[in-house]
Amino acid sequence: GQLTTGSEELVDFEGVLNLPVSETLAVRFAGKIQRRDGYMSNPVRDDEAGNQHAESGRLSVLWQPSDAFESTTIATYYKDDVQSATRLFMVDPSRIPAALGPFRAILGAQYQQTLDQLNALGDYQFDDSSAQYSRNRVWSLQNTSEVTFSTDAFDELSLKNIVGYRDIQSRYRVNTEGSPLGVIDFPTSIDAEQFSDELHLIGVKGNFDFVGGLF
C-alpha cells in the first residue's frame, strides 16, 4: 500500500492484495482512491474547481488447473466526479459572427466588460454561470484462456481465446468561452458499449511456426 497526503486536503491511496487461494487458483486485487479539494474558487457562486474525486479497482483471477490449461479473468471499475473551470483571457471582436448584425457590437462590449471583471479577480478565481463538471463511470470484464493440446502431429499446438466487454457512461458540461455569459455553453453525455472476441490457433512443427486468428 501507498498513501500520499498534501495541501488542499489531498489524500491519495493505492494498494494491492495478492491471495494465493490454492495451488491452482490465485486472486489479486488492486485499488486506488483520490481526494483533493479544488484550488480555484468562484467568489460569485461560492464554489470551487480543480478538485480530485476518483476511485478505481481491478480484480484479477488466475486459474490453472493443469499445465495444459490457463485462464485469467480481469474485472475493472473506474469512477470520477470532478468540477473544472475555464476562464476568458482575451476578446477579439472580429471573431464574433457578422450574421449577428447590430447585436455584434453589443455582444463584443459585453465580452469586454466581462473580461475586465475577470481580470479584477485573483489568479485562481473565476466566474461562471453554472458549474462545469465531468462525471465518468467505466467498467470492463475480460478473459484470456488458453488450452494446449498434446499431439504427435505438432511439436506445440494451442488454442487461445480473448474476450472483452466495456461499458462507459460519461456526463460533462463545458463552458468553452470561460465567461459567465454562457453563450458557448453545453452539457454532453456519452453512453457506449464495446465487445470483442479474438480466437488464436498457434502451432509449431519443426522450423515451421504458424498462427491463425479470427477477430
XYZ file of all heavy atoms in Angstrom, residues 133-187:
448
model
N -18.529 20.351 -14.992
C -18.260 19.085 -14.315
C -17.919 17.994 -15.323
O -18.200 18.109 -16.518
C -19.480 18.656 -13.490
C -20.751 18.508 -14.308
C -21.038 17.354 -15.024
C -21.657 19.563 -14.384
C -22.183 17.238 -15.778
C -22.811 19.460 -15.138
C -23.073 18.289 -15.841
O -24.211 18.189 -16.600
N -17.313 16.962 -14.804
C -17.020 15.761 -15.587
C -17.269 14.564 -14.679
O -16.599 14.410 -13.652
C -15.568 15.776 -16.075
O -15.237 14.549 -16.701
N -18.243 13.737 -15.045
C -18.593 12.557 -14.254
C -18.530 11.336 -15.161
O -19.275 11.241 -16.144
C -19.992 12.712 -13.654
C -20.143 13.956 -12.778
C -21.518 14.032 -12.143
N -21.648 15.252 -11.358
C -22.466 16.258 -11.663
N -23.231 16.171 -12.744
N -22.529 17.330 -10.900
N -17.647 10.430 -14.836
C -17.419 9.254 -15.674
C -17.526 7.981 -14.845
O -17.115 7.950 -13.682
C -16.025 9.319 -16.313
C -15.831 10.568 -17.150
O -16.341 10.670 -18.252
N -15.092 11.536 -16.623
N -18.078 6.950 -15.480
C -18.119 5.624 -14.867
C -17.818 4.598 -15.961
O -18.495 4.565 -16.993
C -19.488 5.330 -14.253
C -19.558 3.985 -13.517
C -20.979 3.636 -13.133
N -21.822 3.446 -14.291
C -21.863 2.319 -15.016
N -21.079 1.304 -14.706
N -22.662 2.223 -16.058
N -16.788 3.822 -15.735
C -16.351 2.830 -16.720
C -16.107 1.501 -16.006
O -15.430 1.465 -14.979
C -15.045 3.272 -17.437
C -14.641 2.241 -18.485
C -15.210 4.649 -18.058
N -16.661 0.435 -16.539
C -16.315 -0.883 -16.007
C -16.097 -1.843 -17.172
O -16.641 -1.660 -18.256
C -17.378 -1.409 -15.035
C -18.715 -1.759 -15.645
C -19.766 -0.929 -15.842
C -19.118 -3.046 -16.111
N -20.818 -1.610 -16.407
C -20.447 -2.909 -16.571
C -18.498 -4.292 -16.180
C -21.157 -3.982 -17.114
C -19.207 -5.361 -16.721
C -20.518 -5.199 -17.168
N -15.270 -2.829 -16.938
C -14.926 -3.766 -18.008
C -14.711 -5.163 -17.442
O -14.451 -5.344 -16.246
C -13.654 -3.306 -18.745
O -12.522 -3.407 -17.893
N -14.831 -6.137 -18.319
C -14.620 -7.542 -17.960
C -13.952 -8.223 -19.141
O -14.420 -8.094 -20.282
C -15.954 -8.211 -17.633
C -15.899 -9.670 -17.156
C -15.183 -9.747 -15.811
C -17.299 -10.243 -17.043
N -12.865 -8.917 -18.865
C -12.175 -9.613 -19.944
C -11.636 -10.956 -19.452
O -11.377 -11.135 -18.259
C -11.022 -8.774 -20.496
C -9.863 -8.590 -19.527
C -8.782 -7.699 -20.088
O -8.987 -6.522 -20.353
N -7.594 -8.257 -20.276
N -11.502 -11.871 -20.391
C -10.976 -13.201 -20.066
C -10.055 -13.667 -21.178
O -10.365 -13.528 -22.358
C -12.115 -14.209 -19.876
C -11.594 -15.627 -19.665
O -11.444 -16.392 -20.627
N -11.304 -15.964 -18.428
N -8.922 -14.206 -20.759
C -7.979 -14.832 -21.683
C -7.776 -16.280 -21.246
O -7.332 -16.529 -20.123
C -6.626 -14.098 -21.695
O -6.826 -12.736 -22.066
C -5.667 -14.753 -22.674
N -8.119 -17.200 -22.114
C -7.993 -18.626 -21.802
C -7.211 -19.313 -22.909
O -7.390 -19.007 -24.096
C -9.371 -19.289 -21.662
O -10.096 -18.725 -20.579
N -6.340 -20.234 -22.501
C -5.522 -20.962 -23.475
C -5.430 -22.424 -23.078
O -5.166 -22.757 -21.916
C -4.129 -20.353 -23.565
C -3.238 -21.000 -24.618
C -1.931 -20.264 -24.821
O -1.652 -19.331 -24.029
O -1.189 -20.609 -25.762
N -5.666 -23.286 -24.050
C -5.554 -24.723 -23.831
C -4.491 -25.275 -24.785
O -4.426 -24.896 -25.956
C -6.918 -25.428 -24.060
C -7.458 -25.150 -25.451
C -6.799 -26.923 -23.803
N -3.616 -26.099 -24.259
C -2.532 -26.695 -25.037
C -2.848 -28.154 -25.304
O -3.193 -28.908 -24.378
C -1.199 -26.572 -24.284
O -0.917 -25.195 -24.027
C -0.062 -27.164 -25.105
N -2.720 -28.558 -26.572
C -3.045 -29.930 -26.966
C -1.778 -30.773 -27.061
O -0.714 -30.286 -27.439
C -3.765 -29.944 -28.322
C -5.049 -29.157 -28.328
C -5.072 -27.875 -28.854
C -6.217 -29.691 -27.799
C -6.251 -27.141 -28.866
C -7.392 -28.968 -27.808
C -7.410 -27.690 -28.339
N -1.920 -32.008 -26.717
C -0.822 -32.964 -26.854
C -1.100 -33.829 -28.075
O -2.066 -34.605 -28.104
C -0.719 -33.836 -25.594
O 0.308 -34.787 -25.733
N -0.272 -33.661 -29.118
C -0.497 -34.381 -30.369
C 0.834 -34.711 -31.022
O 1.804 -33.957 -30.906
C -1.365 -33.537 -31.323
O -1.410 -34.160 -32.599
C -0.808 -32.135 -31.474
N 0.876 -35.822 -31.722
C 2.097 -36.231 -32.425
C 2.294 -35.448 -33.717
O 3.400 -35.407 -34.257
C 2.036 -37.726 -32.741
C 2.024 -38.588 -31.479
O 2.530 -38.091 -30.442
O 1.496 -39.710 -31.516
N 1.226 -34.812 -34.213
C 1.322 -34.111 -35.488
C 2.098 -32.806 -35.370
O 2.675 -32.331 -36.358
C -0.074 -33.839 -36.044
N 2.131 -32.203 -34.175
C 2.810 -30.922 -33.973
C 3.677 -30.987 -32.718
O 3.359 -31.700 -31.762
C 1.795 -29.784 -33.823
C 0.955 -29.539 -35.044
C -0.274 -30.158 -35.173
C 1.400 -28.706 -36.059
C -1.055 -29.943 -36.295
C 0.626 -28.476 -37.172
C -0.610 -29.093 -37.303
N 4.772 -30.205 -32.745
C 5.593 -30.085 -31.550
C 4.841 -29.323 -30.463
O 4.936 -29.649 -29.278
C 6.906 -29.357 -31.891
C 7.712 -30.102 -32.950
O 7.586 -31.342 -33.010
O 8.447 -29.445 -33.701
N 4.101 -28.265 -30.892
C 3.264 -27.481 -29.975
C 1.986 -27.100 -30.706
O 2.009 -26.759 -31.885
C 3.988 -26.203 -29.519
C 5.264 -26.430 -28.729
C 5.949 -25.128 -28.350
O 5.271 -24.076 -28.407
O 7.144 -25.154 -28.033
N 0.869 -27.132 -29.981
C -0.405 -26.732 -30.564
C -1.311 -26.227 -29.439
O -1.529 -26.923 -28.445
C -1.080 -27.894 -31.291
C -2.379 -27.527 -32.036
C -2.076 -26.561 -33.182
C -3.075 -28.786 -32.562
N -1.792 -24.995 -29.580
C -2.636 -24.423 -28.538
C -3.734 -23.554 -29.153
O -3.588 -23.035 -30.265
C -1.809 -23.592 -27.549
O -1.199 -22.489 -28.204
N -4.814 -23.410 -28.395
C -5.943 -22.596 -28.791
C -6.169 -21.537 -27.705
O -6.324 -21.877 -26.533
C -7.202 -23.458 -28.960
C -8.448 -22.772 -29.531
C -8.203 -22.367 -30.988
C -9.661 -23.695 -29.432
N -6.139 -20.263 -28.114
C -6.298 -19.162 -27.167
C -7.495 -18.308 -27.564
O -7.683 -18.001 -28.744
C -5.039 -18.296 -27.121
C -5.170 -17.081 -26.200
C -4.003 -16.110 -26.370
C -2.731 -16.688 -25.766
N -1.634 -15.669 -25.764
N -8.274 -17.903 -26.565
C -9.406 -17.013 -26.817
C -9.337 -15.818 -25.874
O -9.085 -15.958 -24.669
C -10.739 -17.743 -26.613
C -11.917 -16.906 -27.097
O -12.108 -16.737 -28.297
N -12.706 -16.400 -26.176
N -9.561 -14.610 -26.426
C -9.550 -13.366 -25.661
C -10.890 -12.675 -25.881
O -11.212 -12.306 -27.016
C -8.400 -12.438 -26.098
C -7.059 -13.172 -26.035
C -8.362 -11.181 -25.239
C -5.910 -12.416 -26.676
N -11.660 -12.521 -24.824
C -12.970 -11.893 -24.934
C -13.030 -10.716 -23.963
O -12.468 -10.762 -22.861
C -14.101 -12.911 -24.639
C -13.962 -13.491 -23.240
C -15.470 -12.278 -24.838
N -13.679 -9.623 -24.379
C -13.738 -8.446 -23.527
C -15.018 -7.656 -23.720
O -15.617 -7.645 -24.810
N -15.430 -6.989 -22.644
C -16.615 -6.129 -22.687
C -16.319 -4.877 -21.871
O -15.678 -4.941 -20.813
C -17.830 -6.846 -22.098
C -19.052 -5.956 -21.957
C -19.868 -5.685 -23.050
C -19.371 -5.370 -20.729
C -20.981 -4.867 -22.928
C -20.481 -4.545 -20.600
C -21.281 -4.301 -21.707
O -22.373 -3.483 -21.579
N -16.802 -3.727 -22.358
C -16.600 -2.463 -21.647
C -17.863 -1.609 -21.746
O -18.489 -1.527 -22.813
C -15.408 -1.702 -22.222
C -15.215 -0.308 -21.623
C -13.899 0.294 -22.046
N -12.783 -0.432 -21.451
C -11.505 -0.125 -21.649
N -11.181 0.876 -22.435
N -10.551 -0.814 -21.066
N -18.218 -0.985 -20.634
C -19.377 -0.107 -20.567
C -18.919 1.264 -20.069
O -18.247 1.359 -19.041
C -20.434 -0.689 -19.627
C -21.691 0.160 -19.570
O -21.684 1.168 -18.834
O -22.678 -0.183 -20.242
N -19.281 2.320 -20.802
C -18.834 3.678 -20.494
C -20.038 4.598 -20.369
O -20.893 4.632 -21.263
C -17.894 4.226 -21.588
C -16.667 3.331 -21.745
C -17.471 5.652 -21.281
C -15.805 3.697 -22.937
N -20.109 5.337 -19.274
C -21.098 6.394 -19.099
C -20.355 7.672 -18.709
O -19.596 7.673 -17.744
C -22.116 6.027 -18.031
C -23.048 4.890 -18.429
C -24.134 4.649 -17.409
O -24.222 5.347 -16.406
N -24.966 3.653 -17.650
N -20.591 8.738 -19.457
C -19.888 9.995 -19.224
C -20.880 11.147 -19.304
O -21.679 11.223 -20.234
C -18.778 10.182 -20.262
O -18.079 11.386 -20.058
N -20.811 12.030 -18.305
C -21.638 13.233 -18.279
C -20.722 14.427 -18.003
O -19.969 14.411 -17.029
C -22.706 13.148 -17.175
C -23.586 11.904 -17.247
C -24.593 11.995 -18.366
N -25.507 10.858 -18.355
C -25.281 9.713 -19.002
N -24.144 9.571 -19.687
N -26.155 8.732 -18.971
N -20.789 15.443 -18.841
C -19.955 16.606 -18.572
C -20.579 17.864 -19.172
O -21.397 17.802 -20.095
C -18.528 16.411 -19.090
C -18.397 16.094 -20.560
C -18.201 17.103 -21.498
C -18.438 14.776 -21.004
C -18.062 16.813 -22.831
C -18.309 14.472 -22.349
C -18.125 15.489 -23.261
O -18.001 15.196 -24.594
N -20.212 18.978 -18.598
C -20.654 20.284 -19.073
C -19.423 21.145 -19.304
O -18.523 21.186 -18.467
C -21.571 20.959 -18.060
C -21.970 22.376 -18.473
C -22.693 23.121 -17.364
N -22.748 24.553 -17.680
C -21.810 25.423 -17.326
N -20.764 25.013 -16.636
N -21.910 26.687 -17.669
N -19.394 21.827 -20.444
C -18.237 22.630 -20.818
C -18.688 24.041 -21.170
O -19.633 24.230 -21.944
C -17.491 22.011 -22.021
C -16.300 22.882 -22.405
C -17.044 20.601 -21.703
N -18.022 25.020 -20.597
C -18.191 26.423 -20.973
C -16.923 26.819 -21.717
O -15.929 27.209 -21.118
C -18.398 27.288 -19.733
C -18.561 28.760 -20.065
O -18.461 29.166 -21.216
N -18.814 29.565 -19.048
N -16.931 26.705 -23.044
C -15.695 26.864 -23.814
C -15.208 28.301 -23.860
O -14.045 28.545 -24.195
C -15.899 26.358 -25.251
O -16.997 27.066 -25.844
C -16.206 24.874 -25.250
N -16.081 29.270 -23.565
C -15.650 30.667 -23.628
C -15.071 31.147 -22.317
O -14.390 32.175 -22.266
C -16.829 31.554 -24.016
C -17.908 31.596 -22.960
C -19.150 32.339 -23.416
O -19.577 32.158 -24.557
O -19.671 33.109 -22.616
N -15.375 30.462 -21.209
C -14.801 30.834 -19.921
C -15.339 32.123 -19.338
O -14.615 32.844 -18.649
N -16.614 32.424 -19.615
C -17.212 33.637 -19.062
C -18.601 33.322 -18.515
O -19.212 32.323 -18.901
C -17.317 34.725 -20.131
O -18.492 34.580 -20.904
N -19.134 34.195 -17.636
C -20.475 33.965 -17.095
C -21.588 34.230 -18.095
O -22.761 33.977 -17.790
C -20.541 34.933 -15.906
C -19.587 36.018 -16.242
C -18.486 35.348 -16.996
N -21.267 34.740 -19.292
C -22.303 34.988 -20.291
C -22.926 33.671 -20.766
O -24.110 33.624 -21.095
C -21.716 35.754 -21.484
C -21.174 37.160 -21.171
C -20.592 37.793 -22.434
C -22.265 38.041 -20.572
N -22.144 32.617 -20.836
C -22.671 31.292 -21.184
C -23.204 31.184 -22.594
O -24.141 30.419 -22.854
N -22.631 31.923 -23.553
C -23.085 31.841 -24.937
C -22.677 30.512 -25.563
O -23.464 29.866 -26.269
C -22.522 33.026 -25.751
C -22.939 32.908 -27.222
C -23.024 34.349 -25.168
N -21.443 30.102 -25.347
C -20.951 28.812 -25.871
C -20.819 27.869 -24.673
O -19.745 27.672 -24.108
C -19.620 28.976 -26.611
C -19.706 30.115 -27.627
C -19.258 27.689 -27.333
C -18.406 30.410 -28.328
N -21.929 27.289 -24.306
C -22.012 26.513 -23.070
C -22.932 25.336 -23.322
O -24.079 25.530 -23.739
C -22.566 27.421 -21.962
C -22.630 26.714 -20.620
O -22.482 25.490 -20.583
O -22.841 27.406 -19.610
N -22.451 24.123 -23.116
C -23.301 22.973 -23.443
C -22.997 21.777 -22.546
O -21.849 21.526 -22.204
C -23.109 22.568 -24.905
C -21.686 22.253 -25.280
C -21.188 20.972 -25.193
C -20.843 23.262 -25.729
C -19.883 20.691 -25.536
C -19.527 22.987 -26.081
C -19.050 21.690 -25.979
N -24.040 21.039 -22.158
C -23.850 19.761 -21.480
C -23.811 18.622 -22.509
O -24.428 18.715 -23.569
C -25.095 19.650 -20.585
C -26.142 20.380 -21.362
C -25.438 21.469 -22.139
